[in-house]
Every structure is written in structure tokens, then in C-alpha cells.
Amino acid sequence: MKNNSIYSFIILWLGQSFSLIGSRITTFALIFWTWDSTSQASSLSLLWFFQQLPQIFVAPLAGYLVDRCDVKGTLRTRKLLMILGDLVAVLSTIFLLFQQLNQQLTITDLYITTFINNCFGSIQELAYTTTIPLMIPSHQFDRANSLEFLSGYGSRIIAPAIAGILYPLINLQGILMVDIGTFFLALITIYFVQIPSSNNHKNQENLVTSNYHKNAILFTEIKSSYQYIKNNKLLKNLLVITCLFQFFHDLGDSIYAPLILARTNNDQIIYSHIATSAGIGGVIGALFIVTKGGFSHPMKGVFIGMIGAGVSKIVFGFSNVYFIWIIAQFFSSFHFPILGSAETTIWLRETPLNSQGKILAFQRMGILIFSLIAYSLGGFLADYFFVPLMTQENIFSFVFGMGKSAGISLLYTLSAIALFLIGLWSWYLSTKNNQLSQ
């Protein structure tokens, strides 16, 4: 039975992977379209802002739905939640296609559809993550988690190349049509795959307070999730470190595309090459975890991933050379599957099966709040502080030069240094009191 579940999980993963490739192609096309239309880092930053904003409010509801989605005799299944997420994504993409074909597409349309799409996408993502303990043995969690990174970074190898070729040929509307086709493929695989019910997994002791009873109100469950994490030193410290890391990562990520496009005079080919390098690095990092099987102490994977990503991004920010960008991006992306799979493994091991939806939702809500703040600040800090700062000579111009791209590079490098310092802090904590490496 377990082998059949593993086989079903692989099919489910493949369907989601093809859908992700289509979404990535569209993402690159929308980045090009937005930069061509505005040439402002704040416009792209706002696009990421509206991607993160709905997830903060939906995360608690998503956890509530996922943990109650296996009620016998109802249609509230993880499968239905995943289908709903893909269906909304299809409809939003069709809307963008309609607007583009009628030459009425605006940046506001992107913000609105991104907001709606991610309201349902966060529910789908959590439903997908919580299928892992239902379909995969616990000793294989690292490998199963790394598959998600494999598909994520694998799509970054394929998508930039396809987007770079297709965007000049078939424009945005043609790419949107490709994306719609991949969504339908994902819907078909979800429909036919059998996902076991959590009611069949009674072997894990309920470690959560009685606040998680069947009819608990949403606020009570959020409070209970907070109390559970607060009482678990490992999870509490990990959440604080991850939130800070995510803030500075997304502060840099919000200006990542503007940095490259500004440095290269809007060269979409170079941007695609760097994105492909990111994909290759991520795939190799994910394969490393798949073959190695993760760390005996997962927290080691967390701080190794943070420090490695921080160093690589520092090199990327300081550089203005194409070849160095490629190498730095490769090693940056290589470390994120190590970091992410180890972090997810800790959360899955430290939380009871029948309450993982609520607790993971609270964890994601906390991270998303920091991410949202970062994305809301990044573009505006670049456009209205760092870019003007670098229009004249100062102590930084010797390293970064002068002009728009210099200001963006300075902000990106400062955020990368912060990532490195947070990684050192996590290593210090883990070696000082051993609470993070259990």
C-alpha cells in the first residue's frame, strides 16, 4: 500500500512540476512586460507584494481547511483543495490573456489577478505539503521535500530558455496560452491520483493541546498553534531565524530582476541565462539531498544553507561581470534545497500529523509577514533612496560605481550580508546550547 502511495505521490509531483514550468515561463514574461512598461523597481516590487499579501490572511484558514479536509462523507479533501487552487490559476490566466488580446492589459490587472490567484494558491500549497506524511514514510521526508525543490529549480532551467525564445516570437499572449495548457495537465493528474485520508494514520500520538478539538474556532486554533510553537524551543528559535532570513532574502529578491536588467541595459537574454544558472544550481542541490538523504541533525542543513546562500549573494551583489554572476547564482541556488528541505523536515517531525496544517500555516503566516514587509520596502528603497544616493560620488561609488544600477546593487549587497550574518547566528546558537541540532 505504501509503495502505491509513493507511486501516486510521484505522479502528483510530476503534474505539479509541469504546471510550475508553465507558471515560471509566464512569470518571466510578466517581468519583461512590466519592466518594459515602467522601468521601475517599485513596480516589480509591488507585483511580489501582491503575491505575498493574500497568503498572510489565508494561511490560518488554509491550515484550518487542510486539517479538516478528510472528514468522511464530505467533499473537503486535499485533492479538492489542490484542484481549486489550479482552477483559480487557470481562470486568472485566461483573464490576463483576454485583456492582452484586447490590448487592455494594465499593471493593475497583474496586481489584482496575482492577489486572487495566491489566495487560493496558498491553500493548494499547504494541502500539497501535508500530503507528504500521508504518502511517504517519515524516513523519506528529506527526499520527498527535496523533490519540490527539484521541480522548482528544474523549472528555472527550462522556463528562462523557453521564455527567452518564445517572448519575442509569440509575445505575452502566446506564453499565457502555454501556461493554461500546463494547468490543465496538472488538474488531470490531481483528479486521478489517490490521496490517503489522515484518518488512516493513527500511529502518531496527539501532542497538541485540547484546543484542537473538532469544532474549535479559527482564532482558538491560531492561538493554540502559537502556544505549541512557543513551548517548543527548537521550533521557536527556528521560526525567528527563518523570519529574519526571509526578510533580508526577499528585500534583495524584490530588486533582483531590476538589478540585472539595469546592469545589462535591459538584456533579457543575460537575465534568462542567470535564471537558468539558478535552476541548474537548485536542481543539483536538490539531487544532492535526494541521494544523500539529508542531515542526521537537520538544523545543520539550515545554517549551512543560510551561510552558503549569503556568501554567494554577496559575491553576486559586488560583481558586475556576467561570468561571475553565473557562478555566484549557481552556488546561491545550490544551497536553498539544503536549507529548505532541512527546515521542512524539522517542522514535519516536530508537529503531530493531525495538526500539521494549522501549525505549518501559522509558521508560514509569520514568515509571510516578514516577506511582505520586505517586498513592500525593496523597490521603493531602491527607487527613492539608494538610486538617488548613488547619483553622486560617495564611499560606496568606488565599489559599485554610480547611477541607477549602482544604487540597486548596493541595496542587494547589504541584504546579502545580512543573510550571511543570520546564518552565522544560527550556527552559533546550534553549537552553544545544542537546542537547534537535536
Side-chain angles (χ1 to χ4, degrees):
M1 181 65 182
K2 182 61 71 172
N3 289 335
N4 290 336
S5 294
I6 294 175
Y7 176 74
S8 296
F9 177 78
I10 292 175
I11 294 177
L12 178 65
W13 169 74
L14 285 172
Q16 293 299 301
S17 298
F18 279 110
S19 176
L20 185 58
I21 291 172
S23 298
R24 292 281 189 193
I25 295 172
T26 299
T27 297
F28 281 106
L30 292 177
I31 288 173
F32 298 151
W33 185 89
T34 302
W35 186 256
D36 287 340
S37 302
T38 66
S39 296
Q40 287 188 322
S42 53
S43 295
L44 285 171
S45 184
L46 278 175
L47 188 61
W48 309 140
F49 173 85
F50 283 107
Q51 183 178 13
Q52 303 295 86
L53 178 62
Q55 298 183 57
I56 294 176
F57 302 105
V58 174
L61 177 61
Y64 183 87
L65 291 174
V66 167
D67 283 341
R68 279 156 178 72
C69 67
D70 290 312
V71 179
K72 194 171 183 179
T74 74
L75 293 177
R76 292 182 296 174
T77 64
R78 284 175 169 82
K79 178 183 291 190
L80 180 62
L81 294 177
M82 285 187 279
I83 289 175
L84 181 62
D86 274 336
L87 187 60
V88 171
V90 168
L91 294 176
S92 65
T93 307
I94 290 174
F95 170 77
L96 292 178
L97 177 60
F98 177 81
Q99 291 292 91
Q100 177 68 5
L101 290 175
N102 287 277
Q103 297 183 342
Q104 296 178 345
L105 183 64
T106 65
I107 190 69
T108 303
D109 293 328
L110 299 188
Y111 295 156
I112 293 174
T113 53
T114 296
F115 181 88
I116 296 174
N117 189 23
N118 281 277
C119 282
F120 293 88
S122 60
I123 298 176
Q124 182 207 36
E125 181 181 357
L126 191 60
Y128 174 77
T129 300
T130 55
T131 61
I132 294 177
L134 303 180
M135 307 176 78
I136 302 295
S138 60
H139 65 279
Q140 298 288 356
F141 281 174
D142 276 307
R143 288 187 168 94
N145 291 327
S146 65
L147 284 177
E148 187 172 354
F149 286 94
L150 183 62
S151 61
Y153 283 101
S155 67
R156 292 189 180 187
I157 298 175
I158 301 172
I162 296 177
I165 295 172
L166 293 184
Y167 188 74
L169 297 176
I170 61 178
N171 299 318
L172 180 60
Q173 59 265 31
I175 289 178
L176 291 173
M177 291 179 185
V178 173
D179 193 12
I180 291 170
T182 61
F183 275 126
F184 279 111
L185 179 61
L187 283 168
I188 292 172
T189 58
I190 294 173
Y191 180 80
F192 285 104
V193 163
Q194 295 295 321
I195 299 176
S197 168
S198 62
N199 294 325
N200 297 330
H201 293 71
K202 301 297 185 180
N203 57 333
Q204 184 167 356
E205 181 183 359
N206 185 0
L207 301 177
V208 186
T209 67
S210 60
N211 285 327
Y212 287 125
H213 59 79
K214 182 176 179 180
N215 297 315
I217 61 174
L218 187 58
F219 177 77
T220 302
E221 297 199 347
I222 295 174
K223 183 178 178 181
S224 299
S225 298
Y226 165 76
Q227 290 294 337
Y228 183 81
I229 295 172
K230 180 182 178 182
N231 294 330
N232 187 309
K233 286 186 177 181
L234 174 59
L235 296 184
K236 180 177 66 175
N237 286 309
L238 179 60
L239 182 58
V240 171
I241 291 170
T242 305
C243 285
L244 291 174
F245 184 88
Q246 193 71 41
F247 172 81
F248 288 104
H249 173 271
D250 290 346
L251 189 65
D253 191 56
S254 67
I255 56 172
Y256 174 76
L259 167 63
I260 298 171
L261 294 174
R263 280 290 198 192
T264 61
N265 194 27
N266 201 26
D267 193 322
Q268 298 168 0
I269 300 300
I270 291 179
Y271 179 81
S272 298
H273 289 171
I274 296 173
T276 299
S277 176
I280 295 172
V283 166
I284 294 177
L287 289 174
F288 171 76
I289 297 298
V290 170
T291 55
K292 181 182 182 298
F295 294 84
S296 57
H297 299 307
M299 192 58 204
K300 291 181 180 178
V302 172
F303 67 71
I304 287 173
M306 287 182 175
I307 293 173
V311 171
S312 302
K313 287 181 176 294
I314 290 171
V315 174
F316 190 98
F318 274 118
S319 177
N320 192 23
V321 179
Y322 167 78
F323 179 69
I324 296 178
W325 272 348
I326 292 291
I327 296 175
Q329 184 58 69
F330 171 88
F331 282 104
S332 172
S333 298
F334 173 84
H335 286 91
F336 276 94
I338 298 173
L339 164 61
S341 61
E343 180 195 356
T344 303
T345 296
I346 293 172
W347 284 94
L348 291 178
R349 287 180 179 177
E350 292 291 320
T351 56
L353 184 63
N354 65 334
S355 300
Q356 283 179 347
K358 292 178 283 290
I359 295 174
L360 290 178
F362 184 89
Q363 174 242 4
R364 291 186 181 186
M365 183 175 64
I367 292 174
L368 286 169
I369 290 173
F370 281 80
S371 177
L372 180 67
I373 296 172
Y375 278 119
S376 64
L377 290 176
F380 291 96
L381 283 174
D383 285 338
Y384 300 106
F385 180 77
F386 284 91
V387 169
L389 175 67
M390 300 304 290
T391 56
Q392 54 188 355
E393 288 190 10
N394 53 57
I395 59 174
F396 300 109
S397 58
F398 176 76
V399 177
F400 297 97
M402 295 176 60
K404 184 174 185 177
S405 62
I408 300 175
S409 297
L410 174 59
L411 176 56
Y412 185 91
T413 304
L414 291 175
S415 67
I417 293 172
L419 297 183
F420 172 72
L421 294 177
I422 293 169
L424 287 181
W425 180 40
S426 67
W427 173 78
Y428 169 76
L429 288 178
S430 65
T431 55
K432 179 183 178 181
N433 50 38
N434 212 30
Q435 70 181 21
L436 293 180
S437 60
Q438 295 175 359

